[in-house]
Amino acid sequence: MCLGIPAKILSREPGLLSMAEVDMAGQRREVNMSYLPEAEVGDYVLIQQGFAMTVVDAADAEASLRAIAELNLLRPERLPRGHR
């Protein structure tokens, strides 16, 4: 099973293989934005395997992040290799 983690877009580089810097539960990450050309800085997106997959509203993103924190799903040892 793959868990989509909400992240807030902090900055974005245009281009065919667009990348963005996001804040994912307090961690800054680089993610591929190729699937979401419409997403803008300040939007929340669900991240799966390093790709932004869908735009989500801020209230839903915050609720998901609270649930993830309560369940302790973002412990470093649970993150995929290369994301620790």
Side-chain angles (χ1 to χ4, degrees):
M1 175 171 74
C2 187
L3 178 65
I5 307 295
K8 185 174 186 177
I9 300 172
L10 302 174
S11 65
R12 182 162 185 182
E13 296 295 324
L16 183 59
L17 294 175
S18 179
M19 298 295 287
E21 181 178 21
V22 299
D23 178 333
M24 184 171 25
Q27 298 178 26
R28 288 181 178 238
R29 308 269 178 123
E30 291 286 323
V31 298
N32 189 301
M33 297 297 294
S34 297
Y35 297 134
L36 298 175
E38 73 280 5
E40 301 176 353
V41 171
D43 286 346
Y44 281 88
V45 292
L46 285 182
I47 307 299
Q48 293 180 328
Q49 301 296 319
F51 286 83
M53 302 302 285
T54 189
V55 176
V56 294
D57 101 350
D60 289 342
E62 294 294 337
S64 293
L65 287 169
R66 277 192 304 277
I68 288 167
E70 287 175 17
L71 295 170
N72 206 19
L73 295 176
L74 288 180
R75 293 189 316 234
E77 67 272 14
R78 289 190 158 201
L79 293 174
R81 190 172 295 215
H83 292 280
R84 296 180 188 171

